[in-house]
Amino acid sequence: MELPDLVDVAVASPRRRGSQYNPTTHRLREVERIIAYRHGILRVTEDADVFLLQAAKQLRRNLKDRRGLPTSDEVLDRLTIWAERWAHFTPVEHLHEIAARVMRQPAIEKADALAVLLHLTYAERQYLKITTIGACDVSSAKRQLLRKQRKRDRDRIRAAEKRLLAGARPRAEYLATSLTAARPWVNEGISRKTWERRRRLLAGANGATPSHTN
C-alpha cells in the first residue's frame, strides 16, 4: 500500500482535560485508527476477527479496571455498542463468540506481538501516529534508534533556527564569504575552479568531504 509522505509528529494522549490517562483506551483508539485507515468499516472476514478480539480485550480490561472482573454479558454489551460504529455487519451470534473467547483468553498482547497480528508496518505506524503498538517489520531496538536520530535532527534544526534568529550567519554563507575575501588561489597563481578542484581531490584522498563554497 502506497502511503503519503510521512511526518513524525508527537501524538497527544487521548484524554479529556483533567482526566487521567488510560493506556487501554489509548490502544483501543489506535486500533480504531487502523480500521478507519484500512477499511472504514470492518466486514465479516477472518481479518476482521483480529480487530474484534482486540477491541473486546480492551473493553474487558477497562471494565475490569473500573468495576472489577466483568461478566461475559457485560463484555458483550460493550462490544455490541462498539461494533455498531466499527463492525455493524458482524452478526450478533459472532459477537457472542468473540465475547466468550475473550473471557477465556483475556491477555493483552505486547506491542510487537500485536503489530504482527495486525500486520502493522513501520510506515503505517508513523503515518497513523501509533504509539502503543509496535511494527511488524522494524524491531523495537531499531525504532528506538530511529527516534533518537529524529530527535537529533529536530534539535539540530531548532538550534540552527535559534542561531539565525539571534543574527548568526549560515555556515555555508560564512565560509563562502570568508573564502572570497581570502582568495587563496591568487597567491598560488591559479584560478578559483582549479583551486577548488585540487582541494576536493586532496580532501577525497584524506577521506574528508570539503565544505561547499560559492
Side-chain angles (χ1 to χ4, degrees), residues 54-106:
Q54 290 306 313
K57 286 184 177 186
Q58 309 310 316
L59 294 168
R60 179 192 178 280
R61 173 65 64 83
N62 267 340
L63 284 170
K64 181 175 180 294
D65 291 344
R66 294 171 184 171
R67 305 178 182 177
L69 191 64
T71 65
S72 180
D73 287 341
E74 288 174 328
V75 174
L76 175 62
D77 181 62
R78 292 300 179 92
L79 181 60
T80 301
I81 294 172
W82 183 87
E84 288 177 358
R85 167 64 181 86
W86 296 104
H88 59 248
F89 294 105
T90 308
V92 175
E93 297 79 11
H94 193 55
L95 294 178
H96 275 272
E97 294 173 3
I98 295 293
R101 181 174 172 183
V102 166
M103 294 300 292
R104 296 191 303 270
Q105 301 172 328

Side-chain angles (χ1 to χ4, degrees), residues 23-214:
T24 304
T25 299
H26 190 160
R27 175 171 282 192
L28 179 60
R29 296 294 170 260
E30 292 190 341
V31 169
E32 293 168 353
R33 203 177 303 161
I34 298 170
I35 294 171
Y37 175 72
R38 291 182 181 173
H39 308 286
I41 296 293
L42 289 174
R43 307 287 173 169
V44 183
T45 64
E46 291 184 3
D47 289 342
D49 279 1
V50 177
F51 289 100
L52 286 168
L53 281 167
Q54 290 306 313
K57 286 184 177 186
Q58 309 310 316
L59 294 168
R60 179 192 178 280
R61 173 65 64 83
N62 267 340
L63 284 170
K64 181 175 180 294
D65 291 344
R66 294 171 184 171
R67 305 178 182 177
L69 191 64
T71 65
S72 180
D73 287 341
E74 288 174 328
V75 174
L76 175 62
D77 181 62
R78 292 300 179 92
L79 181 60
T80 301
I81 294 172
W82 183 87
E84 288 177 358
R85 167 64 181 86
W86 296 104
H88 59 248
F89 294 105
T90 308
V92 175
E93 297 79 11
H94 193 55
L95 294 178
H96 275 272
E97 294 173 3
I98 295 293
R101 181 174 172 183
V102 166
M103 294 300 292
R104 296 191 303 270
Q105 301 172 328
I108 302 291
E109 283 78 8
K110 293 187 179 298
D112 284 345
L114 181 54
V116 172
L117 289 174
L118 300 180
H119 305 292
L120 182 67
T121 65
Y122 182 75
E124 283 183 303
R125 186 181 192 270
Q126 290 299 102
Y127 180 68
L128 297 174
K129 305 179 182 70
I130 302 296
T131 60
T132 71
I133 307 172
C136 64
D137 56 347
V138 178
S139 69
S140 177
K142 178 64 173 178
R143 294 197 304 272
Q144 186 175 0
L145 289 176
L146 291 171
R147 281 194 296 272
K148 289 180 178 179
Q149 181 60 54
R150 290 196 299 272
K151 183 179 184 304
R152 285 194 293 267
D153 292 342
R154 290 194 298 267
D155 290 346
R156 184 168 57 252
I157 292 172
R158 281 196 292 266
E161 291 174 345
K162 186 175 181 179
R163 288 194 298 270
L164 287 176
L165 290 174
R169 297 164 64 192
R171 178 173 174 78
E173 179 184 333
Y174 169 78
L175 290 174
T177 303
S178 298
L179 188 61
T180 300
R183 299 169 64 83
W185 51 87
V186 173
N187 293 332
E188 296 182 26
I190 57 177
S191 68
R192 177 170 180 171
K193 287 186 177 180
T194 300
W195 182 87
E196 290 182 342
R197 184 171 65 253
R198 290 179 179 177
R199 183 166 173 263
R200 286 194 297 270
L201 291 173
L202 180 60
N206 294 330
T209 301
S211 302
H212 178 71
T213 57
N214 295 323

